[in-house]
Amino acid sequence: MILLRKPEEVQNLITELKSSHKSIGFVPTMGALHSGHISLVNQSTSENDFTLVSIFVNPTQFNNPEDLKKYPRTEKQDAALLETAGVDAVFLPSAESLYPNGEDSEHFDFNGLENQMEGKFRSGHFDGVATIVQKFFKLIQPDKAYFGEKDFQQLRIIQELVKQHNLSVEIVPVEIKRESDGLAMSSRNMRLSPEMRNESTEIYRILTAAKSFLKFNSIQKTKEFVKKEFAKTNLKLEYFEIADETSLLPISELKENQKIRGFIAAFAEDIRLIDNMSLN
Ligand code: PAF
């Protein structure tokens, strides 16, 4: 596995790959890798000649400096996992090399996708995500890029970025990977205390219960149900939203053939967890 630290090194590699007509699969990550990331990697290695993974804790997408500081960094372990998974190259850039003019985001308009849910609670987050992903796409020019559905809103935004800028990369969504008790895999899970790790399974339980509840109840009643269920736990619900899968607009009534999802953000002590589930 090739280790790259400088954008120029990536550029040279990409020129070489393109001239030999190799297809490039790209998996962007912020490290602290788990089986969820590895499922993206596996899909990429099976669909492309060459798989490149980036590990970069992108400062511009953190609206909370404490969160950025505490974000787990496990570079050595990550590199070993990627090597075992058959990754061809890993890109570990410095912030200075990607943001030579200072850590600023570009401002994007994603037709309102950016204003829902995470956008309401994490101001500037998606500008930061789109800024870094756009930089990576320009540099790496992947044929396919892999994004997990756990960050469903992020996935929709990247799809919109590609559409608006007419980029030639195919965005491949990958299903959420869960622990055996249902907790969605996340790099943040490693910061949970044993008690909170246990309590966090409530997120999946409540999402699943909401899905069943919605079969016989209204959207509004289901939202109230979720709030009540959270009140019985030691988690703090930040939001529960039922939204259209494409527009991400909250819905109050279900239309025929409309695909909808339930979205949750909740705090386990100071650790913010998100999850989502198709509701039909
Ligand atoms: O999902 C993530 O890990 C990040 O938001 C991403 C896509 C790597 C951009 O920093």
Side-chain angles (χ1 to χ4, degrees):
M1 186 174 73
I2 311 168
L3 238 86
L4 307 151
R5 293 206 181 259
K6 295 191 179 139
E8 304 82 75
E9 293 170 339
V10 177
Q11 225 158 24
N12 293 339
L13 171 70
I14 300 300
T15 308
E16 215 178 285
L17 291 171
K18 295 276 173 196
S19 69
S20 48
H21 305 287
K22 293 260 198 292
S23 63
I24 302 168
F26 173 47
V27 183
T29 82
M30 297 207 297
L33 303 179
H34 48 70
S35 311
H37 294 110
I38 301 305
S39 72
L40 306 185
V41 164
N42 289 343
Q43 195 158 338
S44 175
T45 55
S46 71
E47 293 178 356
N48 301 280
D49 298 323
F50 195 96
T51 291
L52 188 150
V53 176
S54 63
I55 298 180
F56 179 61
V57 182
N58 174 35
T60 62
Q61 70 189 72
F62 286 82
N63 54 332
N64 176 349
E66 263 315 283
D67 200 19
L68 171 62
K69 216 164 80 188
K70 287 188 183 157
Y71 202 85
R73 287 155 173 93
T74 55
E75 196 181 297
K76 273 207 183 114
Q77 236 170 285
D78 291 347
L81 262 179
L82 295 177
E83 177 125 52
T84 310
V87 164
D88 299 289
V90 56
F91 180 35
L92 295 140
S94 66
E96 299 76 52
S97 69
L98 293 181
Y99 292 102
N101 304 319
E103 292 172 2
D104 290 323
S105 300
E106 224 181 280
H107 182 67
F108 293 85
D109 177 348
F110 293 116
N111 289 327
L113 285 177
E114 73 281 21
N115 299 328
Q116 308 301 326
M117 299 173 297
E118 292 298 283
K120 281 192 191 144
F121 291 92
R122 302 184 71 189
S123 149
H125 170 66
F126 289 121
D127 278 342
V129 170
T131 299
I132 196 67
V133 170
Q134 185 170 252
K135 280 178 195 279
F136 282 140
F137 283 175
K138 265 194 193 139
L139 182 67
I140 297 161
Q141 300 165 54
D143 296 277
K144 294 186 181 188
Y146 297 79
F147 289 83
E149 288 188 344
K150 187 175 84 65
D151 296 295
F152 196 87
Q153 191 172 5
Q154 166 173 283
L155 164 70
R156 284 290 303 114
I157 279 173
I158 301 303
Q159 287 170 330
E160 187 63 24
L161 173 81
V162 166
K163 190 171 142 198
Q164 285 184 5
H165 294 74
N166 212 6
L167 307 177
S168 61
V169 53
E170 181 190 335
I171 302 303
V172 184
V174 181
E175 270 182 25
I176 300 177
K177 265 275 227 171
R178 297 186 181 279
E179 302 289 353
S180 55
D181 58 11
L183 178 66
M185 289 187 184
S186 163
S187 306
R188 290 165 196 261
N189 294 353
M190 63 176 78
R191 288 180 50 215
L192 294 166
S193 64
E195 298 76 43
M196 279 298 138
R197 166 65 189 80
N198 204 24
E199 194 69 5
S200 298
T201 59
E202 288 291 311
I203 299 175
Y204 178 69
R205 185 192 67 75
I206 296 173
L207 263 176
T208 312
K211 183 171 179 161
S212 306
F213 189 89
L214 182 63
K215 288 198 178 112
F216 306 103
N217 295 279
S218 66
I219 300 280
Q220 192 47 40
K221 282 252 158 60
T222 306
K223 285 183 167 179
E224 285 159 20
F225 167 78
V226 166
K227 271 192 194 150
K228 279 189 197 141
E229 288 299 301
F230 265 95
K232 295 181 204 162
T233 73
N234 289 320
L235 304 172
K236 194 169 157 271
L237 179 66
E238 189 170 52
Y239 66 75
F240 171 66
E241 197 54 89
I242 299 179
D244 179 277
E245 247 189 45
T246 308
S247 70
L248 299 184
L249 289 174
I251 61 160
S252 48
E253 249 172 62
L254 185 57
K255 293 195 199 103
E256 216 183 314
N257 297 328
Q258 186 177 27
K259 283 196 167 177
I260 60 166
R261 255 175 204 264
F263 294 87
I264 279 182
F267 282 93
E269 287 168 344
D270 63 332
I271 299 158
R272 189 173 184 277
L273 302 172
I274 59 170
D275 200 349
N276 69 83
M277 187 180 282
S278 165
L279 295 181
N280 55 6

